[in-house]
Amino acid sequence: MENTFALKSWVPGADASGFPVQNLPFGVFRHEGDCRVAVRIGDYALDLLNLWRIGLLDGLGLKLSVLQNDFLNDLISLGDKKRKALRSRLQDLLSENADAIEREKTNRCLKPLSETEMKLPLNIGDYTDFYSSEHHARNVGTMFRGAENALMPNWKSLPVAYHGRSSSIIASGKPVSWPKGQICDSEGIPTIGESQRVDFELEMAFVIGKNSKQGNPVEMKKAGDHVFGFVLFNDWSARDIQRWEYVPLGPFAGKNFASSISHWITPLEALEPFRTAGPEQSPDPLEYLQKQSDWHFDVTLEVSVFTVDDHEEVICRTNSKHLYWDICQQLAHHTLGGCNVRVGDLMASGTISGPNKGEWGSMLEASWNGEQPIVFGNGEKRSFLKEGDVVCLRGFAEFKGVRIELGEVRNQLLARSEEAVATAERNILN
Amino acid sequence: MENTFALKSWVPGADASGFPVQNLPFGVFRHEGDCRVAVRIGDYALDLLNLWRIGLLDGLGLKLSVLQNDFLNDLISLGDKKRKALRSRLQDLLSENADAIEREKTNRCLKPLSETEMKLPLNIGDYTDFYSSEHHARNVGTMFRGAENALMPNWKSLPVAYHGRSSSIIASGKPVSWPKGQICDSEGIPTIGESQRVDFELEMAFVIGKNSKQGNPVEMKKAGDHVFGFVLFNDWSARDIQRWEYVPLGPFAGKNFASSISHWITPLEALEPFRTAGPEQSPDPLEYLQKQSDWHFDVTLEVSVFTVDDHEEVICRTNSKHLYWDICQQLAHHTLGGCNVRVGDLMASGTISGPNKGEWGSMLEASWNGEQPIVFGNGEKRSFLKEGDVVCLRGFAEFKGVRIELGEVRNQLLARSEEAVATAERNILN
């Protein structure tokens, strides 16, 4: 590991960026009518199809169709060994010790990101959203049921989760349309209208890297084998729609209008050095959820909102290690009954909040359900999001001067009708 | 329509079966290492790839890759016009007025079903489960919250739904593994074990036939354009797992171990003559849910359980027209906030129950949460399902002697451990 941290790259700016040779997240970009797999190094996308064509990926058992592909799923499906061999080869090619001729050839396969059209990198079969942050669950529970009843009786026994909608998961950069829906007014009368409480949720998601078989639960000690990598995940939410609809079957239209993920999927290998213990779990989890090793990650997370006049307000800064349930526990629970997982499935953490104000991963918490509007540095007030707001999730881990960034997730919330905006402003003024 | 009902087929047995020339559901079968699209006529699968190869589908704009395919999605994606032209051509070829030479050629493309290995016909991107039967919602609500609070306040305002798990949807014929999970005992202590309350749910699902665009709600008057066809759907459930986990985010592991669908997808055209009005809706739905025409279906539905000694017990006989919300309302609500739908998505009705005992589509209701075990004709008692039980869903519509059957869904529940069986038996005796 020491060696890996010492590794430097010849790519300009890479070492000092969040995308050094130790990161190398995978993504997919459009290129003259087709799509190609890349890894990111510094501010460049390394075109793996070109690299393959000029012979620099020979001997790794890769077929053209895996690299000329709309999605990463086929690459991921090659399995752990081939993927690691590819990563190792790419690190060799990009390191300062690379052979001079190979380095020159590799250089010709680098594409500046500013000229690269990235796309949604995964064909997501199923997306599951957990609810694994105790601080988040307590905040929301306290808000709506009081501090004594904040956590439901099942919360510390199992990683609560629900199934989300895959079709509306978009990549960073794509705008989100302001959601409409059924909302219940203060007199209990349902009406239809634009949501007045659009929110983000700061989450991390892991991507399934290996299928499991239906009827065969994935045990804790094998769960890590099913993890390909990580993305930041914004689970856009309309709190007022959600509040009216969610009993008894859970969130639906309040969530399914959009979720967004980063263009780049950071492989598990890049985050391995940042594995850490999570908070103590009490009571002891049942046997099938008992930890075999540390599967939390020490990743700093941050949410900014950019207003239309480009003021950046940091809403939240927290860390993924605050989650109560780890990813192996999530997977063991998910598959316990026999549910299978497939390559490309997303497992999102649920909103990640830390213990203190300023570490809470949603506007709902940050404005305490609108009771304590946030005053921005430019004087604006916000309880929930406003038209034109750009929400940006960022994440990074750092050790010995090496910084591993997760690809950012940045999406703008599109304007809604004037009438709705006027109403929202009245609500904020009141 | 009169003409269509009068149409007869030269295929032996087809007219008297539930799969006459007016039905022609689509499916996919395995054939020497590849998969092919077929329609069902009587007890035969008509191999569309062979038909195409010998030129009988010329002029319809079909490519080989659409018919030699693991799934129907590409065929469905051709769109309404091409699909209808194909259906019409197939009806011509199979009708008793068919040209003699073509008939002979078509005959050579028929494959007895007993020699045909059918498979899961759809690549299901997302699966949504509605909760659209008032009788079912009232039964379950009464059981757990009393008759006064049976329906939640939102139930008559919107078609309540949750997102389900796509990965574990299997075809008829494949066994279901007995689900394990976390269950809360009578003293409130969570334990892990085999479910003691495995159940079926009788549902119908419609298959999305046309993509919608994210951010663009599908209006009621256009919703029918997005419907390709229908399948019977068994939403296998573990009631004890579900009961402990479902607050506050809805069903998860109590449902995601398996759902099963029929091999054959009956196109909307075959059920068009059976469109009918649903029950009166009171209060009037909000504008975006107001009906433009009748989108309920007069389809008789039935569930049988076959015991290991092959006794068939009919648990339920009901009708799809008892549903409160129709499929257009479901789709309009689903997409209102901006959620998009994709070809191959499944939209399941939720358990379909009629008003009276004997018309209830789950063991939970039929045994009234285990309080009134069902006494089978062979003397066995059942509150929930037992190892080895085969659950069979059937459905049909009939008019003027023409019977349109939905492909049946028949799956066996695999044995669990002896210990668990002993416990279950004690529970039934007590």
Side-chain angles (χ1 to χ4, degrees):
Chain A
M1 192 181 304
E2 211 57 28
N3 275 339
T4 313
F5 276 106
L7 207 63
K8 304 276 179 199
S9 174
W10 53 262
V11 176
D15 294 342
S17 80
F19 299 92
V21 72
Q22 290 85 354
N23 192 345
L24 298 190
F26 288 91
V28 176
F29 68 98
R30 286 183 214 284
H31 179 90
E32 296 171 6
D34 64 26
C35 291
R36 299 177 173 194
V37 172
V39 292
R40 176 166 178 179
I41 174 93
D43 284 333
Y44 298 88
L46 176 62
D47 177 339
L48 298 195
L49 180 68
N50 263 354
L51 215 54
W52 181 90
R53 281 196 171 134
I54 60 178
L56 287 185
L57 301 180
D58 284 0
L60 295 171
L62 298 174
K63 280 193 233 168
L64 176 135
S65 63
V66 163
L67 301 175
Q68 187 170 38
N69 201 307
D70 289 355
F71 299 109
L72 296 174
N73 298 54
D74 290 346
L75 177 78
I76 300 172
S77 296
L78 293 176
D80 193 41
K81 268 193 191 160
K82 283 195 180 173
R83 282 180 340 233
K84 281 184 181 161
L86 170 62
R87 177 174 162 83
S88 169
R89 175 67 176 147
L90 295 172
Q91 285 184 327
D92 287 347
L93 291 171
L94 292 165
S95 91
E96 58 184 2
N97 308 318
D99 168 89
I101 296 170
E102 287 190 344
R103 172 176 162 167
E104 184 41 40
K105 286 184 177 174
T106 303
N107 192 32
R108 275 182 265 136
C109 299
L110 288 180
K111 226 174 122 71
L113 279 183
S114 54
E115 298 166 20
T116 308
E117 189 193 350
M118 300 303 302
K119 66 176 284 294
L120 186 75
L122 290 171
N123 183 5
I124 302 159
D126 281 288
Y127 140 53
T128 298
D129 200 19
F130 285 87
Y131 187 50
S132 288
S133 160
E134 181 175 353
H135 305 294
H136 171 68
R138 278 199 189 277
N139 281 341
V140 176
T142 301
M143 237 174 260
F144 296 117
R145 291 182 300 271
E148 337 57 71
N149 304 309
L151 288 191
M152 289 292 181
N154 58 15
W155 202 92
K156 291 217 160 179
S157 287
L158 55 88
V160 170
Y162 68 100
H163 300 117
R165 179 85 191 169
S166 296
S167 71
S168 54
I169 298 178
I170 57 177
S172 179
K174 201 175 162 183
V176 171
S177 295
W178 198 280
K180 277 202 297 199
Q182 263 200 42
I183 297 162
C184 195
D185 71 15
S186 52
E187 275 139 46
I189 314 277
T191 56
I192 171 176
E194 313 278 344
S195 169
Q196 304 293 320
R197 299 182 158 230
V198 183
D199 203 352
F200 60 81
E201 289 193 337
L202 165 65
E203 308 196 11
M204 248 174 93
F206 68 97
V207 178
I208 293 294
K210 186 177 150 189
N211 293 343
S212 77
K213 220 178 130 186
Q214 197 166 359
N216 288 22
V218 176
E219 292 172 29
M220 286 292 287
K221 62 176 180 240
K222 300 266 187 184
D225 300 348
H226 292 267
V227 178
F228 167 63
F230 296 85
V231 284
L232 293 173
F233 189 95
N234 185 349
D235 185 25
W236 294 79
S237 300
R239 303 296 177 189
D240 38 9
I241 297 173
Q242 187 182 345
R243 186 147 176 77
W244 172 231
E245 75 181 354
Y246 89 104
V247 175
L249 300 182
F252 184 64
K255 297 277 193 179
N256 69 15
F257 58 98
S259 314
S260 51
I261 64 171
S262 37
H263 289 129
W264 299 103
I265 303 177
T266 298
L268 175 57
E269 293 75 31
L271 288 185
E272 273 286 354
F274 305 98
R275 280 173 59 179
T276 186
E280 206 189 324
Q281 296 187 317
S282 170
D284 266 347
L286 288 171
E287 201 181 343
Y288 79 102
L289 292 173
Q290 278 171 16
K291 295 182 182 182
Q292 310 292 310
S293 52
D294 292 339
W295 278 98
H296 278 71
F297 293 86
D298 184 1
V299 175
T300 300
L301 301 167
E302 198 179 88
V303 185
S304 287
V305 170
F306 293 84
T307 63
V308 284
D309 57 359
D310 216 32
H311 167 76
E312 177 178 1
E313 185 76 24
V314 177
I315 306 287
C316 155
R317 196 174 168 106
T318 182
N319 192 300
S320 163
K321 71 181 176 194
H322 292 311
L323 286 164
Y324 187 85
W325 297 104
D326 74 27
I327 61 173
C328 292
Q329 292 177 316
Q330 290 169 346
L331 195 53
H333 181 69
H334 201 314
T335 58
L336 175 67
C339 180
N340 56 320
V341 295
R342 296 179 296 191
V343 164
D345 287 349
L346 272 187
M347 303 284 169
S349 57
T351 309
I352 304 176
S353 292
N356 305 306
K357 199 170 159 87
E359 299 174 334
W360 300 344
S362 64
M363 296 290 283
L364 178 69
E365 293 163 88
S367 76
W368 205 258
N369 196 25
E371 289 171 19
Q372 300 166 25
I374 309 162
V375 184
F376 281 14
N378 67 347
E380 288 191 47
K381 269 190 184 175
R382 284 281 195 299
S383 288
F384 293 93
L385 296 170
K386 201 173 159 183
E387 67 166 296
D389 279 352
V390 173
V391 178
C392 181
L393 314 188
R394 298 188 187 101
F396 66 90
E398 222 161 3
F399 186 67
K400 296 194 182 238
V402 172
R403 181 180 166 99
I404 305 291
E405 270 182 42
L406 297 173
E408 69 171 22
V409 185
R410 180 190 287 260
N411 304 81
Q412 186 169 28
L413 186 59
L414 280 185
R416 50 182 166 155
S417 69
E418 281 174 39
E419 188 189 352
V421 174
T423 313
E425 280 167 359
R426 271 200 309 278
N427 287 346
I428 287 169
L429 292 175
N430 289 344
Chain B
M1 192 182 304
E2 210 58 29
N3 276 340
T4 314
F5 277 107
L7 206 64
K8 303 277 179 198
S9 173
W10 52 262
V11 176
D15 293 342
S17 79
F19 299 91
V21 72
Q22 290 84 356
N23 192 345
L24 300 190
F26 288 91
V28 176
F29 67 99
R30 286 183 212 285
H31 178 90
E32 297 171 4
D34 64 26
C35 290
R36 298 178 175 194
V37 172
V39 293
R40 177 166 178 179
I41 174 94
D43 286 332
Y44 299 87
L46 178 61
D47 177 340
L48 297 197
L49 180 67
N50 263 353
L51 215 55
W52 181 89
R53 281 194 170 134
I54 60 178
L56 286 186
L57 301 180
D58 285 1
L60 295 171
L62 298 174
K63 280 193 235 170
L64 176 135
S65 63
V66 164
L67 301 174
Q68 188 171 36
N69 201 306
D70 289 355
F71 298 109
L72 295 174
N73 298 53
D74 289 345
L75 177 78
I76 299 172
S77 297
L78 293 176
D80 192 40
K81 267 194 189 159
K82 282 194 181 174
R83 285 184 334 238
K84 282 185 180 161
L86 170 61
R87 177 174 162 85
S88 168
R89 174 67 177 147
L90 295 171
Q91 285 184 325
D92 287 349
L93 292 170
L94 292 164
S95 91
E96 60 183 2
N97 309 318
D99 167 89
I101 296 170
E102 289 190 344
R103 169 175 164 168
E104 183 41 39
K105 286 181 175 174
T106 303
N107 192 33
R108 276 183 265 135
C109 299
L110 288 180
K111 226 174 124 69
L113 279 183
S114 54
E115 298 165 18
T116 308
E117 188 194 350
M118 301 302 302
K119 67 175 286 291
L120 186 74
L122 289 173
N123 183 7
I124 302 158
D126 282 289
Y127 138 54
T128 297
D129 200 19
F130 284 87
Y131 188 51
S132 289
S133 160
E134 181 176 352
H135 305 295
H136 170 67
R138 278 198 188 279
N139 282 340
V140 175
T142 302
M143 237 174 258
F144 296 116
R145 290 183 300 271
E148 335 59 70
N149 303 309
L151 289 191
M152 288 294 180
N154 58 15
W155 201 91
K156 292 216 158 179
S157 286
L158 56 86
V160 170
Y162 67 101
H163 300 117
R165 179 87 192 169
S166 295
S167 71
S168 54
I169 298 178
I170 56 177
S172 180
K174 200 174 165 184
V176 172
S177 295
W178 199 281
K180 276 204 296 202
Q182 262 201 42
I183 297 162
C184 195
D185 72 13
S186 53
E187 276 139 45
I189 314 279
T191 56
I192 169 174
E194 314 277 346
S195 169
Q196 305 293 321
R197 298 180 160 232
V198 184
D199 203 353
F200 60 81
E201 289 192 336
L202 166 65
E203 308 195 12
M204 249 172 95
F206 68 97
V207 177
I208 294 294
K210 186 177 151 188
N211 294 342
S212 77
K213 220 178 130 185
Q214 196 166 359
N216 288 22
V218 175
E219 292 172 28
M220 286 292 288
K221 62 175 182 245
K222 298 267 187 183
D225 299 348
H226 292 267
V227 179
F228 167 63
F230 297 85
V231 284
L232 293 172
F233 189 95
N234 186 348
D235 184 25
W236 295 80
S237 300
R239 302 296 178 189
D240 37 12
I241 297 171
Q242 188 183 344
R243 189 151 175 72
W244 172 230
E245 75 180 354
Y246 89 104
V247 176
L249 299 183
F252 184 65
K255 297 278 192 178
N256 68 14
F257 58 98
S259 313
S260 50
I261 64 170
S262 36
H263 288 130
W264 298 102
I265 302 177
T266 298
L268 175 59
E269 293 76 31
L271 288 185
E272 273 284 354
F274 305 100
R275 280 172 59 178
T276 184
E280 207 188 324
Q281 295 187 317
S282 170
D284 266 348
L286 289 171
E287 199 180 344
Y288 78 101
L289 293 172
Q290 278 172 16
K291 296 182 182 184
Q292 310 293 310
S293 54
D294 293 338
W295 278 100
H296 278 71
F297 293 86
D298 184 1
V299 175
T300 300
L301 301 167
E302 198 179 87
V303 185
S304 286
V305 170
F306 293 84
T307 64
V308 284
D309 58 359
D310 216 33
H311 167 75
E312 177 179 1
E313 185 76 24
V314 177
I315 307 286
C316 157
R317 197 175 169 105
T318 183
N319 194 299
S320 162
K321 72 183 175 192
H322 293 310
L323 287 164
Y324 186 84
W325 297 104
D326 74 28
I327 61 172
C328 293
Q329 292 177 316
Q330 290 169 347
L331 195 54
H333 181 68
H334 201 314
T335 58
L336 175 66
C339 180
N340 56 320
V341 297
R342 296 179 296 192
V343 164
D345 287 350
L346 271 186
M347 303 282 168
S349 57
T351 309
I352 304 175
S353 292
N356 305 306
K357 200 171 157 84
E359 299 173 332
W360 300 343
S362 64
M363 295 291 281
L364 177 70
E365 293 164 87
S367 75
W368 205 255
N369 196 23
E371 288 171 19
Q372 300 165 24
I374 309 161
V375 184
F376 280 14
N378 66 350
E380 288 188 47
K381 269 188 185 175
R382 284 280 194 299
S383 288
F384 292 93
L385 295 170
K386 201 173 158 183
E387 65 166 294
D389 279 352
V390 173
V391 179
C392 181
L393 315 187
R394 298 189 188 100
F396 66 89
E398 223 162 3
F399 186 67
K400 295 192 182 238
V402 171
R403 181 178 166 101
I404 305 291
E405 271 182 40
L406 297 173
E408 70 172 21
V409 185
R410 179 189 288 258
N411 303 80
Q412 187 169 27
L413 186 58
L414 280 186
R416 50 183 165 156
S417 71
E418 280 175 38
E419 189 190 351
V421 174
T423 314
E425 278 167 0
R426 272 201 308 279
N427 286 349
I428 286 169
L429 292 174
N430 289 346

